Amino acid sequence: KQWYQRRVAITAGGPPPAAKPTTQVDLSFQCTHLRDMDVLSKSDPQIVLYMKNMEGGWMELGRTEKIKNSLNPSFAESIPVIFKFEEQQNIRLRVFDLDDPGQSIGMADFLGELEMTLGQVISSKSITRSLVHPRFKECGTVTLTAMEVGGSHEIACLKFEGVGLDKKDFLGKSDPYYEIARQNTDGTFVTVYRSETIQCTLNPRWRQQEISVKRLCQNLPDQPILFSCYDHDDDGSHDFIGYFTLTLAQLRDRNATATSWELINPKKQKKKEKSTDCDSALIPLL
């Protein structure tokens, strides 16, 4: 009895178990060649992400936005996930076609799914897999890109306006919106923000948005940031107006660099047979 009491005392006074290391990552998604499930238009895809729990069931982690009329969507909304270094975390990604506002996932057309471990995505940083479907052989692909969220909490507040954008609509002007994309380590770009659409104007003024510097450029001041401007069309065939690239260093040092950038359209450059900038549209930074 005396030995037992001493043993309990020593055990109870020992150090607590060490916490398992974790980190938060953001997962971004791009799809290509999704199945077209609609008769008069294209699919309206949305991604739902699940993780397998201890009981063997699947727990929803989050959803992207829905993109209308697109078989090759690049989703601007990422999904945050806690990565546990010492555990195998199985994830399932499912793509749905949501036709009506407020339609539940259970009533939506199923476009395909894939399963893998979260560790596979983290180790690859960007990984592309084919979707599988019980009835169809070719369902398209999904690219998952992982970015660790920890570190700097700096926020960039950006506000843009367009001046003299190209007229893309036959009976009207343009319905412009823009996208911001971060460069990956392999040189590809992933969409991190998509603005609202301003109807029927060549001189839009978009709302101010806040975006973390980590998400914008991974805290690398000289890493290119891609800005692309489009004319929105309801059928999903958005017309490309132009693009430019800039860096966080340029955004920070507004006194030393231009606060407006000329949109470049390679097709217009080729048509006009010019090797210099050929577009009149400017996007001043306010």
Side-chain angles (χ1 to χ4, degrees):
K1 181 177 181 180
Q2 185 178 5
W3 173 85
Y4 173 78
Q5 290 174 341
R6 285 200 302 268
R7 185 180 180 184
V8 171
I10 293 173
T11 303
K20 294 182 179 180
T22 63
T23 188
Q24 182 174 323
V25 297
D26 275 353
L27 298 182
S28 300
F29 308 90
Q30 294 173 292
C31 300
T32 59
H33 307 300
L34 296 178
R35 291 196 64 84
D36 191 355
M37 305 297 285
D38 297 337
V39 177
L40 300 178
S41 62
K42 299 177 182 177
S43 295
D44 305 320
Q46 182 180 41
I47 286 179
V48 184
L49 184 67
Y50 305 86
M51 180 175 288
K52 201 169 190 178
N53 57 31
M54 298 294 291
E55 290 74 30
W58 292 95
M59 174 183 63
E60 181 177 326
L61 297 180
R63 305 182 181 189
T64 66
E65 77 276 22
K66 180 183 77 171
I67 296 183
K68 294 189 63 177
N69 295 319
S70 179
L71 304 182
N72 301 283
S74 179
F75 297 93
E77 295 182 9
S78 60
I79 298 177
V81 182
I82 299 298
F83 174 60
K84 301 178 181 180
F85 289 90
E86 299 178 0
E87 292 185 17
Q88 177 172 304
Q89 296 170 278
N90 297 299
I91 59 174
R92 171 184 288 173
L93 179 153
R94 311 192 82 189
V95 187
F96 297 92
D97 171 27
L98 284 84
D99 295 318
D100 301 320
Q103 182 181 20
S104 67
I105 290 296
M107 299 298 294
D109 291 322
F110 176 56
L111 299 181
E113 67 179 3
L114 59 86
E115 293 183 19
M116 64 178 67
T117 66
L118 184 56
Q120 289 177 295
V121 186
I122 302 299
S123 62
S124 302
K125 294 187 178 179
S126 184
I127 188 171
T128 301
R129 290 287 187 269
S130 296
L131 291 166
V132 296
H133 193 286
R135 292 192 295 123
F136 305 113
K137 185 176 180 181
E138 300 293 336
C139 301
T141 67
V142 177
T143 298
L144 292 82
T145 302
M147 184 194 71
E148 189 174 1
V149 178
S152 172
H153 298 287
E154 182 179 0
I155 299 295
C157 297
L158 304 176
K159 187 175 183 181
F160 291 94
E161 69 173 4
V163 177
L165 299 184
D166 287 343
K167 178 182 176 181
K168 294 294 185 179
D169 295 338
F170 180 72
L171 297 178
K173 297 181 180 180
S174 289
D175 305 316
Y177 72 93
Y178 70 89
E179 295 180 350
I180 299 175
R182 179 187 72 245
Q183 189 178 52
N184 297 319
T185 55
D186 60 359
T188 60
F189 286 86
V190 59
T191 304
V192 298
Y193 178 78
R194 182 176 294 110
S195 76
E196 76 278 16
T197 298
I198 307 295
Q199 300 291 329
C200 196
T201 180
L202 303 181
N203 302 287
R205 295 176 64 91
W206 291 285
R207 294 193 300 263
Q208 177 175 299
Q209 80 274 3
E210 296 183 352
I211 182 170
S212 73
V213 171
K214 180 76 173 182
R215 180 165 168 76
L216 188 65
C217 61
Q218 303 184 75
N219 292 328
L220 301 175
D222 296 318
Q223 179 170 288
I225 302 168
L226 178 64
F227 178 104
S228 303
C229 190
Y230 298 87
D231 168 40
H232 181 273
D233 291 323
D234 289 337
D235 63 359
S237 59
H238 311 308
D239 298 311
F240 179 63
I241 296 176
Y243 79 95
F244 64 84
T245 59
L246 50 82
T247 66
L248 178 63
Q250 291 174 310
L251 289 172
R252 285 171 169 168
D253 193 6
R254 293 180 58 184
N255 294 326
T257 59
T259 56
S260 62
W261 292 268
E262 189 167 10
L263 288 172
I264 300 170
N265 189 321
K267 290 185 178 180
K268 287 186 62 178
Q269 285 185 328
K270 184 176 181 180
K271 183 178 179 180
K272 293 183 178 182
E273 297 181 351
K274 291 184 178 181
S275 59
T276 58
D277 294 339
C278 63
D279 297 288
S280 60
L282 298 177
I283 307 291
L285 174 64
L286 301 182

